Amino acid sequence: MRTSVIVAGAISFAACGTAALMGLGVIGAPTRAKPADVASAASSSSPPVRQVQTVPIAPPATPVAPIAQPPIAQTPAPVAPAPIAAAPQPAPVASIPVAPWAPPKPITAALPKPKPVETTGSIASVKTLFVSGSRVALRETADAKGKLVDRMPAGQKVAEISRNGEWVRVRVIGSGAEGWVSASLVDTKRPTQD
């Protein structure tokens, strides 16, 4: 904040000084040159000379009292800056003992049994299977509680896509529907019809 006050004061001082110099005629706005002056200035190598025309002013009919000039202000004596209050010091911090770093110990607890990973075969190894039960459920997930996609009749031809434990992912030949079926309800042999 102190810097902005100093800068504002300097700008104000410069503006007052410029106004005073302009009032005395030391500096001022340049006058417009006449076309003839421009031509002569362009032809000579010396800078153009500014001509000033004086006009006499008639004295006033009644005497005018002189205007009282304010006394010239003396430069004020420098003011010592106010002492800055000392910043509050933070309270001392209690030291807390810290144990040295040690590498973590390996986990020896029993980990949960991993779920079977879905395996996929190449296109050449696609197996054709047949549904061995009646109205076998085709499910969205490899779970007995998975959402029902369709029901398949006994002998329905399906293509095995992959396996996940006791579940087989299949595509129904003809409709193209895909889902999971229990591995115990499909076989590589077509069931015999009685």
Side-chain angles (χ1 to χ4, degrees):
M1 177 160 165
R2 186 176 286 177
T3 304
S4 61
V5 171
I6 292 171
V7 170
I11 292 171
S12 175
F13 180 76
C16 290
T18 303
L21 291 174
M22 288 176 76
L24 294 174
V26 175
I27 61 171
T31 58
R32 287 193 180 174
K34 296 177 187 171
D37 292 342
V38 171
S40 65
S43 63
S44 67
S45 61
S46 63
V49 177
R50 214 164 71 176
Q51 295 180 350
V52 179
Q53 181 178 8
T54 59
V55 178
I57 298 176
T62 58
V64 178
I67 298 173
Q69 294 289 329
I72 297 174
Q74 298 292 329
T75 305
V79 177
I84 298 174
Q89 297 296 320
V93 179
S95 63
I96 301 172
V98 178
W101 182 82
K105 295 179 183 177
I107 299 172
T108 56
L111 297 175
K113 184 178 178 183
K115 292 183 178 181
V117 177
E118 181 179 334
T119 57
T120 57
S122 67
I123 294 174
S125 67
V126 173
K127 264 193 207 175
T128 300
L129 302 173
F130 299 94
V131 175
S132 59
S134 175
R135 295 189 38 86
V136 173
L138 182 66
R139 301 197 176 271
E140 214 173 67
T141 58
D143 184 5
K145 295 180 183 177
K147 183 178 176 184
L148 185 67
V149 175
D150 198 4
R151 292 242 179 222
M152 299 178 289
Q156 173 68 51
K157 194 175 181 181
V158 294
E160 179 180 335
I161 299 172
S162 62
R163 287 189 178 255
N164 184 354
E166 295 298 315
W167 290 85
V168 182
R169 183 164 177 85
V170 296
R171 180 177 296 121
V172 179
I173 306 294
S175 72
E178 287 187 17
W180 293 90
V181 65
S182 173
S184 63
L185 297 174
V186 289
D187 197 357
T188 54
K189 297 179 187 171
R190 183 185 294 263
T192 56
Q193 295 188 351
D194 299 329

